[in-house]
Amino acid sequence: MRLLLTNDDGILAQGLECLCTAAEALGEVTIVAPDREQSATSHSLTLHHPVRPIRRGERRWQVDGTPTDCVMLAIEALMPERPDFVFSGINHGQNMGEDVLYSGTVAAAMEGLSLGVPSIAISFAGGDLRADVSRLKEQIKVLQPLLKHLTSLPDFPRDTLFNVNLPPLAADEVKGVRLTRLGRRVYSESVAPMKDPWGRQIYWIGGGEITWSGEPDSDFRAIEEGYVSVTPLHLDLTYFDVLEGAATWWRDL
Ligand code: MN
């Protein structure tokens, strides 16, 4: 099995190293990852200047681009044969609810799907990674059998990626794996006004309090209760319920 690994925290990130350890037992690993952190770059593609891959070992490349650039470059140019799966992560921080819309980790998996390769995004729902890096390493034991299971499904669903979140627990404290839906995240005071060194007004986006809401079967509830959450995400964002209901809206047009 040929596995393409990437992330949005950069090629030096601990999470990528942990994913590599988990993946190496399953197949031949190729890493193509950004040369620096690209968190929250979503599905952006570098169109206005070239990207340069630099070889960092056998089947290991760093790219001065986004996670999406990395997946596209890997599949279209760097790998002699197409991968069987794209694994993206392990992201430093959760990707639950609306996070998936900003996440470079999830977008890289989405890019894999767009190019016809089944993909899995993996995130570690620990807060401060400096405190939790041992827990992140612990999660290799949980992740490896899960990846093995997902990659050997007789019918990996079409145009679908699995968005996995790992709880910040020791491996033997994890209660199990739950299939989940996306929860809802509520940010408050996420734009912080402040002054630059010259006294001019600036804003720092991304701080503030995060709270979550969602059904008992949502991703954040699973994490909160000590489970691994696995949420299937579809490439087609069409909302079919509305499409059916809205048919009557056009009657008089
Ligand atoms: Mn990240």
Side-chain angles (χ1 to χ4, degrees):
M1 191 156 64
R2 276 183 300 277
L3 303 168
L4 169 61
L5 271 55
T6 191
N7 74 346
D8 77 356
D9 297 319
I11 194 155
L12 297 176
Q14 296 261 16
L16 180 61
E17 222 37 64
C18 292
L19 178 58
C20 185
T21 306
E24 270 171 347
L26 305 177
E28 185 188 83
V29 170
T30 299
I31 294 179
V32 181
D35 63 355
R36 69 198 75 181
E37 179 164 356
Q38 294 280 349
S39 293
T41 57
S42 186
H43 210 142
S44 60
L45 198 56
T46 303
L47 294 180
H48 303 291
H49 57 82
V51 288
R52 187 188 304 273
I54 295 175
R55 195 185 273 273
R56 286 289 176 216
E58 201 188 346
R59 294 190 299 275
R60 195 177 272 241
W61 305 83
Q62 75 175 47
V63 175
D64 54 345
T66 65
T68 299
D69 294 336
C70 289
V71 172
M72 189 177 273
L73 210 62
I75 294 175
E76 305 275 323
L78 298 176
M79 295 180 76
E81 286 173 283
R82 285 168 71 80
D84 298 299
F85 286 92
V86 173
F87 295 164
S88 179
I90 303 170
N91 188 58
H92 297 183
Q94 82 276 330
N95 274 309
M96 306 189 291
E98 291 93 331
D99 289 338
V100 303
L101 300 175
Y102 301 92
S103 169
T105 305
V106 175
M110 211 44 111
E111 183 60 19
L113 276 194
S114 309
L115 296 173
V117 182
S119 300
I120 301 171
I122 306 113
S123 303
F124 175 68
D128 185 352
L129 199 71
R130 283 166 298 181
D132 270 331
V133 74
S134 62
R135 294 283 164 86
L136 170 63
K137 286 184 180 161
E138 278 273 306
Q139 291 297 320
I140 295 170
K141 293 178 221 159
V142 178
L143 182 60
Q144 198 165 55
L146 177 61
L147 289 177
K148 190 171 182 188
H149 180 74
L150 291 175
T151 54
S152 48
L153 288 174
D155 223 352
F156 197 95
R158 224 178 117 74
D159 290 345
T160 304
L161 70 87
F162 286 111
N163 183 43
V164 175
N165 278 276
L166 301 164
L169 300 171
D172 57 2
E173 292 169 341
V174 176
K175 289 191 187 145
V177 179
R178 263 195 205 159
L179 261 181
T180 52
R181 58 162 64 198
L182 293 176
R184 295 299 301 267
R185 183 194 54 187
V186 184
Y187 269 127
S188 56
E189 295 175 354
S190 57
V191 176
M194 51 187 77
K195 300 285 183 190
D196 77 2
W198 298 272
R200 292 172 298 205
Q201 186 68 50
I202 54 169
Y203 298 90
W204 202 302
I205 296 172
E209 290 271 300
I210 309 172
T211 49
W212 294 90
S213 67
E215 304 300 313
D217 59 351
S218 63
D219 47 12
F220 90 96
R221 284 286 189 86
I223 290 296
E224 194 176 59
E225 290 166 20
Y227 290 82
V228 175
S229 87
V230 179
T231 310
L233 300 179
H234 201 254
L235 182 62
D236 183 351
L237 296 178
T238 308
Y239 192 9
F240 288 95
D241 282 1
V242 169
L243 199 57
E244 283 163 29
T248 56
W249 300 356
W250 311 109
R251 214 174 276 154
D252 304 321
L253 199 70

